Amino acid sequence: MIIFYFGLILFILGGIGILIAAFKTSLLWGLGCLLFWPVTIAFVIFHWSEAKNPFFLQLTALFIMLLNTPN
């Protein structure tokens, strides 16, 4: 159970990292990522060099959470 919550915290931190990268790129990217999730996917695709580390953090966290789902 503790490992699941650790993964959840990592997932949230990865999302915050993507938001920070989006706001560093421009205000419109940041607001778009904050308000509409499809914009986040587009941001990760178009700005891969800035978004790859938080994306991989979220991917790893998702893997941790799926392996340790609570019953």
Side-chain angles (χ1 to χ4, degrees), residues 1-56:
M1 190 75 155
I2 292 172
I3 296 173
F4 176 81
Y5 289 120
F6 176 71
L8 182 63
I9 289 169
L10 286 179
F11 191 82
I12 292 169
L13 288 175
I16 291 170
I18 290 175
L19 275 176
I20 290 171
F23 273 110
K24 282 184 179 180
T25 302
S26 80
L27 181 63
L28 291 177
W29 272 116
L31 289 175
C33 289
L34 187 63
L35 299 175
F36 306 109
W37 67 267
V39 176
T40 305
I41 296 170
F43 176 77
V44 170
I45 292 170
F46 292 128
H47 297 279
W48 179 249
S49 61
E50 295 91 5
K52 66 180 174 184
N53 289 335
F55 174 76
F56 284 131

